[in-house]
Amino acid sequence: VHGMAQRGGAVSAQVRISDKPVSSDLISQGSAGAVLSVEPLESLRYMALLAADGWIITDVTPLKNIADYPDTTQLYEVLFGVPRLVTVDATRLAAKAGAVKAQNMVVLGAAAAHLPLPVELLEKHVTSLFTPRGDRVLQANLKAFKLGQAADAFRAALITAGVPSPLVARVVPRLSFEPTPAPADVVKAWAERLLSPDGATFAARVFDSRDLLPVDALVPKTLS
């Protein structure tokens, strides 16, 4: 809904993917496999659509375009309590990719592993979509997609290592990823730090600082 979007209004779209005939393009409550959002409050607005095993994949950057926007501390407490959650700083990762407007591609990349489509197919259609806009725009959007993928892969690795989801949700948006998976030693360093006795306090401090840390920030650097 371009008019609303241009004026800062909340807009949404529903997509149904099936190998059987689809009788309606609308998604009923409790049946969505995923909610993708570029704004944290909007992600919570549509939680009722989620199936029991559904995922929220969202940017954590608030767009405070209303006078009574909720207190962000309370907003994050609710958001980070969602059991199946992927959080990214899509705004800053898109800027790193070279296109501030590519937040949606970061979120799509973060959602790729949770969609019933091959990643290669998604990349093919991203390429098809942006090729007419020139190589710079194409490469920026592909990089944004891959940065989102890297963020979700890192999240999944921390969860596999036993780090509680609320801590992962706080840390991942504050990391500056590369468009490739983080090495095992990097994952191990973060997992050990977050599983330490003060891991929850550390995660909260990382998130509240709003600094974007290199993903390998906890790995000791060696001099060559």
Side-chain angles (χ1 to χ4, degrees):
V1 185
H2 295 293
M4 283 290 289
Q6 290 170 346
R7 290 165 177 77
V11 298
S12 66
Q14 297 189 3
V15 178
R16 296 183 65 183
I17 303 171
S18 177
D19 56 1
K20 301 178 177 64
V22 175
S23 57
S24 170
D25 58 347
L26 298 179
I27 298 173
S28 59
Q29 289 195 4
S31 64
V35 168
L36 280 62
S37 177
V38 294
E39 208 283 338
L41 180 60
E42 290 302 303
S43 71
L44 294 177
R45 189 191 302 274
Y46 296 99
M47 272 189 65
L49 290 177
L50 279 180
D53 58 350
W55 286 82
I56 285 182
I57 299 100
T58 185
D59 190 348
V60 297
T61 308
L63 176 61
K64 298 182 180 182
N65 60 349
I66 54 175
D68 57 348
Y69 193 95
D71 175 70
T72 53
T73 300
Q74 296 179 6
L75 169 64
Y76 291 133
E77 284 298 320
V78 174
L79 179 64
F80 296 154
V82 173
R84 293 175 179 82
L85 175 69
V86 182
T87 52
V88 291
D89 191 326
T91 302
R92 288 199 278 189
L93 288 181
K96 178 176 180 176
V100 176
K101 294 181 179 179
Q103 299 140 294
N104 54 351
M105 289 298 106
V106 174
V107 173
L108 180 62
H114 309 280
L115 299 176
L117 298 168
V119 170
E120 296 78 13
L121 183 62
L122 292 171
E123 288 187 358
K124 173 185 175 181
H125 285 284
V126 170
T127 300
S128 176
L129 177 65
F130 289 105
T131 293
R133 305 189 188 185
D135 189 63
R136 186 191 67 79
V137 174
L138 169 61
Q139 295 306 321
N141 279 273
L142 283 173
K143 184 176 180 180
F145 180 87
K146 292 176 181 178
L147 290 174
Q149 275 188 287
D152 180 56
F154 191 76
R155 175 208 62 80
L158 290 179
I159 294 293
T160 299
V163 181
S165 178
L167 275 61
V168 176
R170 285 172 168 80
V171 165
V172 171
R174 297 298 183 239
L175 299 180
S176 179
F177 293 95
E178 299 302 321
T180 53
D185 62 332
V186 172
V187 174
K188 181 181 178 182
W190 278 97
E192 289 178 348
R193 184 66 183 88
L194 292 169
L195 289 171
S196 64
D198 68 336
T201 302
F202 173 71
R205 191 163 66 245
V206 168
F207 184 78
D208 292 341
S209 74
R210 294 191 56 80
D211 293 332
L212 208 57
L213 302 173
V215 69
D216 61 353
L218 298 186
V219 178
K221 304 297 189 297
T222 58
L223 297 177
S224 58

